[in-house]
Amino acid sequence: MVAEHEKPWSPLAPDEVATLLRDAPFPWWIAGGYAIDHFVGRTTRPHGDIDVLLLHHDHEKLRRLTAGWDCWVADPPGRLRPWPLGENLAPQIHDIWCRPNPDAPWAIQFMLDDGTACHWQSRRNAAITRPLADLGARSETGIPYLAAEIQLFYKAKSPRPKDLLDFEAALPLLADEQREWLADAIRLAYGDGHAWLKKL
């Protein structure tokens, strides 16, 4: 029997995510590789999934919005289990996988991070914060995307080959203030010896 986390993906496109979340009573941002694509203005590589960031305190609103979907949460260190309606998630749960029904491929992954009504706060280091208004930018069609430097900060924790590709694609286009923010965040969360700091 195939484990749930090994079942296939057929990710929604960003515009399909926007349709799903059009009535969301909370802020959200397309994250992952799609956020880097938006920043550089082109598709840099294939994407096997799609990530959406929201704040942890909004997860119950998300579950009500996706009431007709089959949603699972990843209990640390990553075991997937069903997420029933009405369950309030513990603070250590950060990943949610959703699909239209149990027989469908996985379609979207939601990532929960810390914050308040006005600020995002990294769960990797509470000193790393940002006003929600500055957490990302909207596309011409109104879809919110996570800022490239914040997405790269996530990817810098344990970079995989695709994360290195995203870093190299975005690096030449980062403004000085974006580079400075990313370098400071990497130092705070991951230490002065991080390999990316030499390029920032």
Side-chain angles (χ1 to χ4, degrees):
M1 184 175 179
V2 178
E4 291 298 332
H5 72 276
E6 296 176 333
K7 290 186 176 179
W9 275 80
S10 181
L12 299 181
D15 60 334
E16 293 175 312
V17 173
T19 297
L20 174 66
L21 300 178
R22 64 177 176 268
D23 297 323
F26 53 82
W28 56 272
W29 301 264
I30 299 282
Y34 280 104
I36 301 301
D37 283 356
H38 174 256
F39 177 67
V40 303
R42 60 183 174 85
T43 300
T44 59
R45 58 175 176 81
H47 302 291
D49 59 8
I50 189 164
D51 303 320
V52 175
L53 178 73
L54 65 146
L55 298 184
H56 198 284
H57 64 238
D58 289 323
H59 73 268
E60 291 180 276
K61 297 174 184 176
L62 171 68
R63 191 65 187 97
R64 289 192 292 271
L65 190 67
T66 57
W69 283 56
D70 184 43
C71 295
W72 293 54
V73 298
D75 281 329
R79 182 185 63 86
L80 281 178
R81 64 166 176 83
W83 181 22
L85 280 167
E87 180 190 350
N88 184 26
L89 299 180
Q92 65 268 25
I93 293 178
H94 303 294
D95 291 304
I96 301 164
W97 291 22
C98 298
R99 54 193 173 190
N101 60 71
D103 296 321
W106 295 112
I108 186 169
Q109 180 176 1
F110 293 99
M111 302 182 304
L112 306 178
D113 217 340
D114 299 333
T116 67
C118 299
H119 283 79
W120 160 81
Q121 182 180 58
S122 171
R123 67 180 184 269
R124 294 177 181 166
N125 187 304
I128 301 170
T129 66
R130 189 112 171 222
L132 289 189
D134 298 334
L135 206 59
R138 291 186 178 271
S139 69
E140 293 180 356
T141 58
I143 300 173
Y145 287 86
L146 191 64
E149 64 272 25
I150 297 176
Q151 182 56 66
L152 292 173
F153 165 70
Y154 280 106
K155 288 176 170 288
K157 181 182 180 183
S158 300
R160 302 157 294 182
K162 66 179 182 179
D163 300 323
L164 295 173
L165 288 174
D166 289 345
F167 178 65
E168 295 294 345
L171 182 61
L173 302 175
L174 292 173
D176 289 345
E177 59 269 23
Q178 291 175 301
R179 287 174 179 254
E180 182 178 353
W181 185 93
L182 179 57
D184 288 345
I186 286 175
R187 288 190 186 97
L188 278 171
Y190 312 131
D192 291 332
H194 197 285
W196 289 9
L197 292 175
K198 296 178 181 178
K199 297 187 177 182
L200 290 169

